[in-house]
Amino acid sequence: IVLDHGRIIYDGDVEEAIELYLGVRNFTGADIELASIEREPAFADCPSRMVSLMLENASGHYQMNSVLRGRLRVTSTVNADNVILGIYFLCHGVAITSMKSAASIQLRKDAVAEIPFEVDLERLAPARYTTKIVLSQMNESGGAKYYDAIMDGYSFSIEQAPGFMHNQPWKTKYNGFLTGSEVKLLSE
């Protein structure tokens, strides 16, 4: 069992619990403060900053084939058009899929952008996941300009549905990379 501020966030395999505990931060809940999270050196001087992530599901537990909905708040020191929201899903520290939005996010200098989104979790098996959240912009040659990136932005689990795998315990071991669906940007 792994606790986060007195709340059970994992109950299962010992090795997975240790793995989760060693990397645990307060990345579950309805409103996650992101502004003070230290960025990797490569992203420390990006022109924008994700400041908070607000989620509809405060528990961090999802059913199979459900949808993760939220709102990302971003501040920026520059104007930027055609920005992409990318979410990378990791299981046991291994990236297993990524999902990206259309290049339609606009960031304005010295303003707060609220980006409502949803992600279909239908291709993810029962397991504990962490996410890497990235704001970027593709240039004409296909390269990316990064506006911000958080390596462990959100942590959640997908519960095994009744009847899945004939009710046998699912031991998640991904081999390869899944093709994810698109991050849908929602209108206000």
Side-chain angles (χ1 to χ4, degrees):
I1 295 174
V2 179
L3 300 175
D4 183 18
H5 294 90
R7 189 178 75 224
I8 295 174
I9 62 170
Y10 183 80
D11 183 1
D13 180 69
V14 173
E15 294 301 318
E16 288 182 34
I18 292 168
E19 207 173 284
L20 178 63
Y21 176 77
L22 292 175
V24 89
R25 292 188 226 160
N26 190 20
F27 294 136
T28 59
D31 193 0
I32 303 165
E33 190 273 323
L34 303 173
S36 63
I37 294 174
E38 189 173 329
R39 281 15 179 214
E40 298 261 330
F43 305 112
D45 296 322
C46 289
S48 299
R49 187 65 103 189
M50 290 181 269
V51 294
S52 68
L53 177 62
M54 295 152 285
L55 299 159
E56 283 186 7
N57 181 341
S59 74
H61 298 283
Y62 293 83
Q63 298 301 313
M64 292 179 68
N65 301 314
S66 61
V67 174
L68 185 152
R69 284 186 190 86
R71 181 176 299 271
L72 184 66
R73 295 183 78 218
V74 180
T75 60
S76 185
T77 59
V78 298
N79 289 327
D81 294 325
N82 304 318
V83 174
I84 298 167
L85 170 60
I87 302 175
Y88 297 79
F89 295 86
L90 295 88
C91 184
H92 304 290
V94 176
I96 52 118
T97 191
S98 67
M99 300 177 194
K100 295 180 182 172
S101 73
S104 60
I105 298 170
Q106 295 181 337
L107 301 177
R108 293 295 164 247
K109 183 178 181 176
D110 301 325
V112 176
E114 293 220 3
I115 305 166
F117 67 91
E118 73 176 31
V119 177
D120 191 341
L121 302 175
E122 70 180 348
R123 295 185 182 182
L124 298 179
R128 182 86 184 148
Y129 295 91
T130 56
T131 61
K132 174 181 173 183
I133 305 171
V134 178
L135 288 173
S136 63
Q137 184 181 57
M138 301 302 284
N139 60 32
E140 299 80 35
S141 62
K145 177 178 182 177
Y146 292 99
Y147 283 87
D148 196 12
I150 295 178
M151 302 320 245
D152 293 311
Y154 178 57
S155 182
F156 68 97
S157 63
I158 295 179
E159 308 298 327
Q160 183 167 324
F164 178 76
M165 296 284 299
H166 306 288
N167 293 321
Q168 296 298 312
W170 174 256
K171 299 291 186 188
T172 308
K173 297 292 181 202
Y174 283 100
N175 294 312
F177 198 77
L178 302 173
T179 303
S181 57
E182 180 179 43
V183 173
K184 296 174 190 148
L185 299 176
L186 306 173
S187 57
E188 296 291 327

